[in-house]
Amino acid sequence: MKSKILVTGGAGYIGSHTAVALATAGYEPVLVDNFVNSSKSVLEGLKQILQAEPTFYEADCTDKQQMEAIFKKEGNIRGVIHFAAYKAVGESVAEPIKYYQNNLGSLLVLLELMEQYGVAELVFSSSCTVYGQPDELPVTEQSPTKPANSPYGRTKQMCEDILRDAVASGRKLKTVALRYFNPVGAHPSGLIGELPNGVPNNLIPFVTQTAAGLREKITVFGDDYNTSDGTCIRDYIHVLDLADAHIKTFEYLRDRSENSFYDVVNVGTGQGNSVLEVIQTFEEVSGKPLNYQLGPRRPGDVEQVWADVAKANNVLNWKTQHSLKDALKDAWRWQQNLVKTE
């Protein structure tokens, strides 16, 4: 019998790609989503890729009654990957209580039900935002976490603290917080990808939407940073590599003999690219010139950050397989598919 893995936020960007990776690796993903940050069209894309209807529940992870019904019905859930969270930095500043209620509340409900139903393995979706602007680069898991620039970032730090404290209390919980850097790209089929609601917060959807003629231009926020070309530097990881890291993390948890265990692991490429480098690489792979302008710095933006991935390589036995060019080609294919279907 295939091991069932509950995937919260399973219709979201990273969740949907991880669902494909889980199914390919022989697990049975059980998806939960309330479509606040996602679209029902993703389920159709998953069905085409998997050649089967994914197991799916429309539910809110902060609703214990709804979530308990899923645990009861599925019966033998082996582990949980918790993606479901509000994630817009600007919105979190404007509506902090909403972010604390959702992002902390959903984790607390899951931990309660996992203990009740004897589910011990959890992979938590954390973020490199916990590091703030690092003192040294690349960032290692030992780098100090800085006061977060937003309530969103604080919720990720607090969730890590909750997991650390839960394990320290001796409860039966094996968990790893994966600190993601900047996920980009899409499934090579072009059937699922990043699908922002309204104006994108992330660079790549803005790039592809501008190339597709849906947006007039891109504003590059800040050209006077202390970097090679004056623009911010980030570590852009293909979402397929990120999805694969979750499979490797479950294998790692399965092989640990302890009943109670907590760890954090960076998931990135180990190198940084500037905003202008991303724009120029996209123009190269797509053959589409982009209309962009240089603008003032955006409040809260970190100047540069990229990951030290030695721990992921050595402990999880995981390495990236896809380049920035691959990611941008896949993102462009996804965007062209979207334009055709709209």
Side-chain angles (χ1 to χ4, degrees), residues 262-284:
Y262 173 75
D263 206 352
V264 297
V265 181
N266 286 338
V267 188
T269 65
Q271 65 181 52
N273 291 99
S274 74
V275 174
L276 284 181
E277 282 174 339
V278 171
I279 287 172
Q280 287 154 7
T281 305
F282 179 83
E283 289 179 327
E284 182 189 332

Side-chain angles (χ1 to χ4, degrees), residues 68-235:
E68 183 163 13
I70 296 166
F71 273 81
K72 269 185 184 166
K73 186 168 181 196
E74 289 301 325
N76 58 338
I77 292 169
R78 165 68 190 271
V80 177
I81 304 179
H82 185 37
F83 293 111
Y86 293 150
K87 59 181 183 177
V89 170
E91 184 187 53
S92 78
V93 174
E95 300 186 67
I97 304 306
K98 170 180 165 180
Y99 271 66
Y100 290 123
Q101 282 177 332
N102 186 74
N103 293 8
L104 302 183
S106 58
L107 177 62
L108 293 170
V109 164
L110 275 175
L111 288 173
E112 203 174 334
L113 290 170
M114 285 174 68
E115 184 172 50
Q116 194 176 325
Y117 286 86
V119 181
E121 295 175 7
L122 171 67
V123 181
F124 177 69
S125 167
S126 193
S127 166
C128 66
T129 57
V130 301
Y131 296 117
Q133 177 59 65
D135 298 323
E136 292 182 2
L137 290 165
V139 176
T140 74
E141 289 81 1
Q142 283 71 49
S143 297
T145 57
K146 301 281 189 73
N149 289 338
S150 68
Y152 163 74
R154 270 189 286 282
T155 66
K156 290 300 183 186
Q157 292 175 334
M158 288 175 171
C159 285
E160 287 194 10
D161 288 342
I162 289 167
L163 293 174
R164 194 180 289 108
D165 290 344
V167 166
S169 75
R171 83 189 275 160
K172 194 175 175 186
L173 177 67
K174 298 202 289 186
T175 181
V176 171
L178 294 181
R179 291 173 174 169
Y180 309 159
F181 282 69
N182 287 63
V184 291
H187 193 269
S189 65
L191 292 167
I192 55 172
E194 190 169 4
L195 193 61
N197 289 333
V199 179
N201 288 302
N202 297 335
L203 175 62
I204 304 307
F206 227 107
V207 165
T208 60
Q209 288 183 13
T210 303
L214 302 176
R215 304 207 171 270
E216 184 193 347
K217 63 189 173 196
I218 303 162
T219 299
V220 176
F221 296 107
D223 64 344
D224 59 349
Y225 287 103
N226 184 28
T227 61
S228 57
D229 59 21
T231 64
C232 287
I233 289 176
R234 296 288 182 271
D235 186 335

Side-chain angles (χ1 to χ4, degrees), residues 13 17-18 20-21 183-189 192 237-247 318 321-322 326 330:
Y13 175 41
H17 288 82
T18 302
V20 173
V184 291
H187 193 269
S189 65
I192 55 172
I237 175 172
H238 199 304
V239 68
L240 295 183
D241 285 325
L242 182 52
D244 182 52
H246 292 80
I247 312 304
W318 169 89
Q321 305 294 322
H322 304 276
D326 295 333
D330 289 338

